[in-house]
Structure formats: structure tokens, C-alpha cells
Amino acid sequence: MEKVKVMLWGFGAMGSGMAKMLLNKKGVEIVGVCNRSKNGKSIFEIMNIERGDHPDVLINSDIEEVMNTNPDIALVATDSYTEKTFSKLKLLMENKINVISTAEEMAYPSAQNPELAEKLDAIAKENNVSVLGTGINPGLIMDLLVVCLTGAMTDVEHIEAERVNSLSPFGAVVMEEQGVGIKVDEFEKGVKEGTLAGHVGFKESIHMIGDAIGWPVEKFEQQMKPIVTSVDRKAPHGFAKAGDVAGVNMTGQGYVDGEVKIDMKHPQQIEPEMEGTNTGDYIRIKGTPEINMAINPEVEGGLGTIAMCVNMIPHVINAHSGLKTMLDLPVPRAIMGDMRKLIRK
Amino acid sequence: MEKVKVMLWGFGAMGSGMAKMLLNKKGVEIVGVCNRSKNGKSIFEIMNIERGDHPDVLINSDIEEVMNTNPDIALVATDSYTEKTFSKLKLLMENKINVISTAEEMAYPSAQNPELAEKLDAIAKENNVSVLGTGINPGLIMDLLVVCLTGAMTDVEHIEAERVNSLSPFGAVVMEEQGVGIKVDEFEKGVKEGTLAGHVGFKESIHMIGDAIGWPVEKFEQQMKPIVTSVDRKAPHGFAKAGDVAGVNMTGQGYVDGEVKIDMKHPQQIEPEMEGTNTGDYIRIKGTPEINMAINPEVEGGLGTIAMCVNMIPHVINAHSGLKTMLDLPVPRAIMGDMRKLIRK
């Protein structure tokens, strides 16, 4: 049986991380990589790893040529928003390629873009392929894991999901998006003008949970506040002087029957330990029985997103055609054996 | 659209708990209950709850009559072992009824009884229905939840799942099965003669995890030790004098490539707090990234099993025909809305 053939679109931290993971797995091969800026270079050279027995893969800026390698699935790690990534997903599916997207909004695209979600579903069905958005969050920690735990409950009254994570492992782009190192007034200006990204995904997570358990979410709100440090904090790619912004505290609420029933808290900052903050993922569900979960430290975001996307490959290939969410597919799982054994014919 | 029609087989703590939960849900009705000893009595009378707008349901000892109520699905809460429950599941499926079983071994029947598992799958397919075994554990805490968390990992090296729970809420039958209150030498004799049940499910959980992530489990072992109390412990339905047995400490191991890679610990006892034991569910996974999860206190076993069985009803009705495990179906979730909306036609 032939190996599972994977193509990558995007070769930044996520795309190259997925490539590295795939190279360590059995029964799967990377057949092509599309990236604008690294055209012609070997992925092994860029990642600075030994090629070993793997065939070489040269980055190609021409997506048509990459699609001609006849991949079973494409991993697309280029955007955060459904609107920006839509044309890429469409093109891939029209070429009969299944798709997994890292775009946060794609984890539950009907939350922000119901029309685009419907279009994606129709395109997928016309071409007999599936498309899924996933990642660590949205995708698992503040939504699917919450949903899974409610499975042990006879009744749910209130859900709180909190993710306290460190931005220290991330690069310059993330520092900029999250406002690390800027002054408080610059931060406020960035929030007002919409230039600070913060965490993308609360609306997706809240609607995913609401739809899963049968709570129609009638209103969604979110807030973005600076985490102002009282000490100088230094991370590999970021620095925040005392009095400046060390990160962003995002909060979000989903209203059901006139009250906040789904509550999200997600403070992200560099070097949280310097002011006594311990990182972790927390899920607290009121109802019967109550559930109080903690993961300490938090599941690492970068590795977690890479793993989720690669680990969902067999589920997406096996799925009936259409737009899928994590709610539709079997639970994610690590792949320690041969990936071919997981593909149903 | 008609309500989802559910029948119950068995009306002990689990069966009656499911009935109570179902009566609080929208879009579902109990059409029949089979139980040998309570023939002719109203389930409302036995549960001592107001009937309200619900039609009355009389317990019937004749399974043929109960099956004639035309149920979409049967919840079977009568046994722990696949062999003992097999003929019941077969009869239901031959009458075109989907089935959810609480039997611990049914959570992953191929672990102990591969032939019976194959037969169940064939019978289900012949009759175009599905059969699932589930519960809190096996079914979620020490297996499905572990599998789900590995989804965020690029590589898994070692898995430890620990469930430290209290037996205090349980009744006389559980006290006896777990050896609560007996002398240490009686306990040892019970282990030797196989009369003490202890926890049923390690083999199922270990094989479920192994198969999910691609670790072929080549050997399984388990041990059963008494938890000897140094103080008198009193629970509603059990009593252990100082020096006697307050519960059972079960441990189990799954071997992969010659070493223990899946490690299970499950001490169960009455009044654990009296000797400083805090209850909880713990999952510790070595690999990349490492995951260290805790749920404190543990998810309550009785309610958890009731919830898992009821909450999986739509997934089982919607599934393709055959024997299903929690690995095959979408993640469990609470049902706070109308159950009919979750049924695909």
C-alpha cells in the first residue's frame, strides 16, 4: 500500500514543525511544500536536519505544481482568518485534495462566517473531500476537551475555561501581535484600532461548545486588557520593561438564556513566573457532577497545534465529504504506528 | 418528529439513574423497562419521584413485551462481563434495536473476547443497528480522555493513568465486590479464588489506548492488593475496622516493545480522607510535549456512568451499523437541548 501523501502550504513555525513531525512518522510522506519566499530550497536545508532515507523535497512557490504531486491531503498553515484562507482551501478542494487548516477561525467557521462555512461545505461535497480546521486552541484545550468532559455530566449549569500560558517560546511575530514590550497607551490604541490580534478563537470555542451541548449562544463578547509588568521581563524574542506590556489578558463570554454560561479567560504573557503566575489549563464545569480539571503546565501551544493537525490526517481522509469540525470526528489521538493502517478504504 | 424512544434493561442503581436523567431531558421518552424482580410496579413509584406530565411506565419482566414498545435504543445495565451480557445484546439487536451496555468489558470487548466481539459486530451489521459499551471507567477517565490528550502530542513515550476514588457513595453490593470490611486473609483468599471483583476494565482501557495510538499491547498484567486501614472507617453502606480492609488497590500494566508503557493505578476505598488520601483522576503522559492532568475530586463514578450512557444515545443511533467503541464515535457531550435535534435521518 502506498504511503499517505501530504502537501504543506506555508512553511513558517507551524508548517516546518509539521514537516519535522511527519518525517518521524511511518507510512506517510511529504510530496510537496508551497511557500512564496523559499522557492527552490530543500526543506531539509531550511530545517537544518539530516535527510536520511527521505526523498528530497524542494519548496515550490507555484501551488499548481505542488498540487500536481497528487497529495491525499494538504496542511495549510498560512492564515488565522477564514476569509483570508478561503480561496486557498477552495483551490485545494477543487483539485480533489482533503484539507486541514490551522486558521483559528476555521476551527468553527460558522461562528464568524456562516456563509463561507456553507460554501466550504458545498465545495467539499462537490469534490468528494473533507476540510477541517484544528489546532491546540481553538481545537482542543478550551473547546473539545470541555465538550468531552461534559459527556460525564447529567446536567451542565456553567462552564469556565482558563488557559494561562507563557509567550516566551514564541518568535518576533507573536510578540508583535500580542503587544509584548509596548507602552500601555500604545496597547489601548492598538485595541481601539484593531491592530492588536490577541487570541483569535473565543467566538469559535464558545459556539463549538454551545452547539455541542445544545446551548444556543445568543450573544458573544470579548475583552482585551494589557498585562502590565511591575518588573523587567526578558524572553528570547521579547522584552517588557517594568510598567510596560508583558502580554495580553483576553476574556470572553457566551450568553445563553440571558446569562453568561460560557466563560473564557486567556492571559498570555512572557515570563509569567517572574510575577508568580503559574501556567496551566483549567476547566471548571458547574452542574452534576461538578468537574474541576487542571493541566500544569499548560499544553505547549506550538507543539500542540502541530500535533493536532498531523494527528487528525487519518480522521479527515476517512471522513464523509464536507466541512468538518472537531465535534464531528472521532477523538484526536497520537500516531505512533504506521499511518496507512489508520486509513479506511 | 417523534421523541427518541428508549428502553432500559436492568433497573438497579445504574438503570434507575438513567431513567431519572432521561425524564429530565427533552425530546426523549422511556417506552419500557425490563427487570425481573419489580414486575408490574411503576418506575415513578420505585424511584419515588413525581410523574408530572410523563406517561406512566410499568416495569415488565417479559423482555419480549418490552421490545414490542418499538424502542430506538436499549440501555442495558445488568452485567459487567461480555460473556454474561452477550445473549441479551444479541436478542435486542435481532429485534432491530440499537444498544448501549454498561458492562465494563463491553467498553472494548476485543480485549478479552475477540470472538464475541466479532460476533456482536456481525449481528449488528446484519440487523443494521449499532452496539456500544461505555461508562465512566472504562469508557472515559482512564482511556478515552488519555487518548484525547495524546492528540496534542507529536510523540508518546509512557502513559500513566491514576484514579483515586472513594467508595463511600456506593451500596452494599459494591462494598462486597471490593472487599470493604473484610479481614486481610479473607481478602487474599478472595483474590486467589477469584471471588473478589475489584475494578473490571484495565485490560479494556489498556487495549483501547494501545490500539488508538498504534502501540500493539503484547502483554497485560494486573494486581490487586488490600488497602488496610489504620483507623476505623465508616461509610453509609460499609465499615472497616482498624487493621481490616477499607478497599482495594488495583494496578495494571500494558507492555509494548518489552516494557511497561501503559501504567494504571486505581485505589478504591471508603472514606479515603480519613488517612489523608485526596481523591482525583490523574493522567501523566511522557513524550512531546509532556501532559500532566488532574481532576480533583475524581469524576463521580455512578453519575458519570449514567451520564455517559445517556449522552451517547444520539451518537449510537447515528452510527453506521456494527460494534462501536468510544474510539469510533465523536466525543461524548452533555445533552442540554432537545435530543431529537441530534438525530440524523
Side-chain angles (χ1 to χ4, degrees), chain A residues 187-208:
Chain A
F187 185 98
E188 305 291 6
K189 201 174 149 220
V191 172
K192 208 181 269 172
E193 294 173 357
T195 53
L196 270 181
H199 169 67
V200 178
F202 276 169
K203 194 167 185 182
E204 288 69 25
S205 294
I206 284 174
H207 280 267
M208 196 195 294

Side-chain angles (χ1 to χ4, degrees), chain A residues 21 25 136 140-141 144-145 147-157 211-215 288-300 303-309 311 315 320 326-338 342, chain B residues 21 25 136 140-141 144-145 147-157 211-215 288-300 303-309 311 315 320 326-338 342:
Chain A
M21 178 173 171
K25 297 291 167 193
I136 194 71
L140 179 64
I141 297 295
L144 191 76
L145 191 52
V147 169
C148 185
L149 290 172
T150 69
M153 301 177 70
T154 61
D155 188 52
V156 181
E157 290 162 17
D211 288 352
I213 72 169
W215 274 355
T288 311
E290 300 215 346
I291 294 184
N292 182 20
M293 190 219 74
I295 297 176
N296 294 103
E298 88 280 16
V299 180
E300 203 184 313
L303 282 169
T305 293
I306 288 164
M308 286 293 288
C309 291
N311 289 333
H315 288 341
H320 287 272
M326 292 302 291
L327 296 179
D328 304 315
L329 300 175
V331 289
R333 59 202 67 172
I335 301 173
M336 299 304 295
D338 191 308
L342 305 174
Chain B
M21 178 172 170
K25 297 291 168 193
I136 194 71
L140 180 64
I141 298 295
L144 190 76
L145 191 53
V147 169
C148 184
L149 291 171
T150 68
M153 302 177 70
T154 61
D155 188 52
V156 181
E157 290 162 17
D211 288 352
I213 71 170
W215 273 355
T288 311
E290 299 216 346
I291 294 185
N292 181 22
M293 190 219 73
I295 297 176
N296 293 104
E298 88 279 17
V299 180
E300 203 185 312
L303 282 168
T305 293
I306 288 163
M308 287 292 289
C309 291
N311 289 333
H315 287 341
H320 287 272
M326 293 302 290
L327 296 180
D328 304 315
L329 301 175
V331 288
R333 59 202 67 173
I335 300 173
M336 299 304 295
D338 192 307
L342 305 173

Side-chain angles (χ1 to χ4, degrees), chain A residues 44-59:
Chain A
F44 297 95
E45 185 192 327
I46 292 173
M47 296 193 292
N48 196 24
I49 56 175
E50 291 287 329
R51 184 158 71 83
D53 293 338
H54 298 289
D56 201 4
V57 180
L58 300 183
I59 288 182

Side-chain angles (χ1 to χ4, degrees), chain B residues 35 82 116 157 163 177 181 217 249 253 276 333 341-342:
Chain B
N35 182 272
T82 301
L116 288 184
E157 290 162 17
R163 179 161 165 84
E177 283 173 353
V217 175
N249 188 8
Q253 301 83 32
R333 59 202 67 173
K341 288 191 188 161
L342 305 173

Side-chain angles (χ1 to χ4, degrees), chain A residues 13 78 102 138 143 183 206 215 219 241 258 270 288 294 296 340:
Chain A
T78 53
T102 61
D143 39 45
K183 301 277 168 203
I206 284 174
W215 274 355
K219 192 170 82 174
K241 221 169 108 58
I270 56 166
T288 311
N296 294 103
R340 286 171 290 196

Side-chain angles (χ1 to χ4, degrees), chain B residues 9-11 14 34-36 75-81 84-85 88-89 101-103:
Chain B
W9 195 339
F11 206 70
M14 291 300 102
C34 183
N35 182 272
R36 248 179 312 189
L75 306 180
V76 182
T78 53
D79 301 280
S80 287
Y81 305 102
K84 282 187 77 173
T85 204
K88 296 189 183 78
L89 308 187
S101 161
T102 61

